[in-house]
Amino acid sequence: MKPAISVIMSVYNGETYLAEAIESVINQTFKNWELIVINDCSTDSTSEILAGFASKDERIKVHTNEVNLKLPSSLNKAISLSIGKYIARMDADDICLPDRLEKQYKFMEENREIDMSSCRFMTVKNGVYMSGGAGGRCDNQALRTMLLVANPILHPGVIAKAEVMKKLGYDTTLTCTEDLELWTRMAMENFKMQILPECLLIYRLHDKQITSTTLERQHTEVLKIQNKYYASLLEAMDKEMQEFYIDGIYFRKNVDLDKFLQYVRWIRTAACKKIGKDTINYALLEILAEYKRNGLPKKNVLKAMINFNPFFLAKEIIRRKKAAQKDIEKCFKVAKDIGLKQTAGTMEFPIFEK
């Protein structure tokens, strides 16, 4: 029987968590899948682990690269080998919750206009689990807009139409931002994206992740991607704006309130008639909330907030708090159902918190 979903995974020296990741796919309530794993020249016991699983389950198909191709090329290889109606991403260090594929398949089947969707998730680090992405908007327009300031889409939680993934593929010139590039390209080509507000994945945070070891390359690649995205969706950023954008907006390491307010005025003007006013303000408020989390003094937060319509502020903060609470409650229920004990949570939008 032809699989409905092709789960694709690339792994390089992933022996620590690989078995747990594969077992989480095997234990899905949805059974009509294939798992295509690209072993990207691992030198640890990854090969033996993969061989053991493949010998027991014919749905698991392992392909070993002759040379180390890196993640984007390996994922493209997996896509080319896939035969499912949908393609779902999975990393070798994450855990699918048991009903992930069942719920994502149902969502895609019931929303045929959606080309790609992701999900809510829990993070785990040092044995402590937390909710991820709680309260954010899930609709296509919000995601397109949020992509101007962040990456709101969890890569290993994605499911997409196979024909879309086969048509677009990943940009193999990139080393650690291939997902952001693909999402922005989808947005530029008017493919529809959405997030299913269900907690379906445990996303592992650890020191060996690409995202924690390649910061300088990330900066270069993100700026390249976002320059193209801004030029397509709004207008090009000048050199001064680019310098602030990478540290002050996307990575939010250096907070300069005056430059942030300058960016606010610029992007609102650039977005006029192209993006809804409330949607662009939603994205800007998300950045301000992140500044608050990172220690921006309350007086500076209030100084920035007077640049937002008070009716919008009240409406959005109420919406965000209600949505976050609902998402976190779902997350805690999932945690309880699967027996997790060390769990923490937050409202994740502390604009008005002390």
Side-chain angles (χ1 to χ4, degrees):
M1 179 172 62
K2 182 178 178 180
I5 300 175
S6 296
V7 182
I8 64 170
M9 175 193 296
S10 174
V11 56
Y12 173 72
N13 288 351
E15 63 181 6
T16 305
Y17 305 113
L18 180 59
E20 191 174 9
I22 293 177
E23 285 170 357
S24 77
V25 177
I26 293 173
N27 293 331
Q28 289 294 295
T29 55
F30 186 91
K31 302 299 183 183
N32 188 17
W33 51 262
E34 64 174 350
L35 173 60
I36 300 174
V37 185
I38 307 298
N39 181 4
D40 200 16
C41 299
S42 298
T43 57
D44 61 1
S45 63
T46 290
S47 297
E48 290 75 18
I49 295 170
L50 292 175
F53 279 107
S55 67
K56 297 175 184 177
D57 194 325
E58 62 181 9
R59 296 173 298 177
I60 300 173
K61 302 162 185 178
V62 178
H63 300 267
T64 301
N65 291 337
E66 294 183 1
V67 296
N68 184 262
L69 295 179
K70 306 299 182 185
L71 183 60
S73 292
S74 294
L75 292 179
N76 283 345
K77 182 176 180 179
I79 290 170
S80 70
L81 294 166
S82 67
I83 59 174
K85 180 178 181 180
Y86 299 107
I87 290 175
R89 273 285 288 117
M90 178 64 182
D91 279 340
D93 54 359
D94 297 327
I95 302 169
C96 290
L97 296 178
D99 56 357
R100 175 196 169 179
L101 295 184
E102 179 182 353
K103 287 186 174 179
Q104 288 192 306
Y105 179 79
K106 183 174 184 289
F107 178 77
M108 294 298 287
E109 287 288 288
E110 292 179 350
N111 298 273
R112 299 296 180 92
E113 75 283 3
I114 301 299
D115 298 294
M116 180 273 285
S117 69
S118 191
C119 60
R120 294 285 188 242
F121 56 97
M122 285 185 283
T123 62
V124 58
K125 187 172 184 178
N126 299 326
V128 178
Y129 295 79
M130 295 185 67
S131 61
R137 280 176 53 180
C138 300
D139 58 285
N140 179 63
Q141 184 62 20
L143 294 179
R144 283 168 55 88
T145 306
M146 277 300 297
L147 281 166
L148 291 165
V149 299
N151 185 350
I153 299 165
L154 181 70
H155 191 192
V158 157
I159 186 171
K161 293 176 180 176
E163 66 264 27
V164 173
M165 296 295 282
K166 289 177 182 288
K167 175 184 178 181
L168 298 179
Y170 291 93
D171 185 338
T172 58
T173 67
L174 302 173
T175 59
C176 53
T177 56
E178 71 289 330
D179 56 333
L180 175 65
E181 193 281 332
L182 181 55
W183 314 150
T184 56
R185 192 151 35 100
M186 284 184 174
M188 287 187 286
E189 297 188 26
N190 292 316
F191 289 102
K192 297 294 189 296
M193 301 174 285
Q194 195 161 321
I195 291 176
L196 173 61
E198 298 286 344
C199 182
L200 301 177
L201 188 87
I202 297 175
Y203 181 62
R204 198 182 302 273
L205 301 174
H206 55 84
D207 294 336
K208 293 183 179 179
Q209 286 173 300
I210 289 177
T211 50
S212 64
T213 59
T214 59
L215 192 58
E216 186 175 345
R217 275 209 314 274
Q218 283 186 68
H219 282 206
T220 300
E221 293 183 4
V222 165
L223 200 53
K224 176 183 176 182
I225 293 164
Q226 295 294 51
N227 273 329
K228 186 175 181 180
Y229 190 49
Y230 270 73
S232 172
L233 211 64
L234 301 177
E235 62 182 59
M237 292 184 281
D238 62 24
K239 185 173 177 57
E240 182 181 0
M241 189 65 73
Q242 290 179 41
E243 290 176 355
F244 171 68
Y245 174 84
I246 200 67
D247 285 327
I249 298 297
Y250 196 89
F251 289 98
R252 300 178 292 279
K253 299 299 183 183
N254 297 322
V255 179
D256 184 318
L257 188 60
D258 290 334
K259 288 185 177 179
F260 171 71
L261 294 177
Q262 181 183 345
Y263 173 83
V264 167
R265 291 189 291 271
W266 175 80
I267 198 170
R268 282 174 175 166
T269 301
C272 183
K273 297 182 181 179
K274 296 180 180 179
I275 297 175
K277 183 185 297 185
D278 282 357
T279 307
I280 199 69
N281 283 330
Y282 156 73
L284 293 169
L285 202 58
E286 289 283 333
I287 297 301
L288 189 57
E290 189 67 21
Y291 285 172
K292 176 72 162 55
R293 291 188 194 98
N294 292 342
L296 184 68
K298 186 174 181 179
K299 65 178 182 179
N300 289 345
V301 174
L302 294 174
K303 179 181 176 181
M305 288 177 67
I306 64 175
N307 290 269
F308 291 83
N309 181 293
F311 296 104
F312 163 78
L313 275 178
K315 181 180 177 182
E316 175 55 26
I317 290 174
I318 290 170
R319 182 210 67 78
R320 188 63 157 77
K321 284 181 176 287
K322 287 182 177 179
Q325 186 62 49
K326 187 175 181 179
D327 288 340
I328 291 169
E329 287 173 358
K330 288 181 181 179
C331 181
F332 284 163
K333 183 180 184 304
V334 167
K336 181 180 179 181
D337 289 346
I338 61 178
L340 300 180
K341 294 181 180 179
Q342 294 189 56
T343 309
T346 171
M347 290 303 291
E348 301 205 7
F349 198 63
I351 278 288
F352 283 154
E353 302 297 328
K354 293 182 180 180

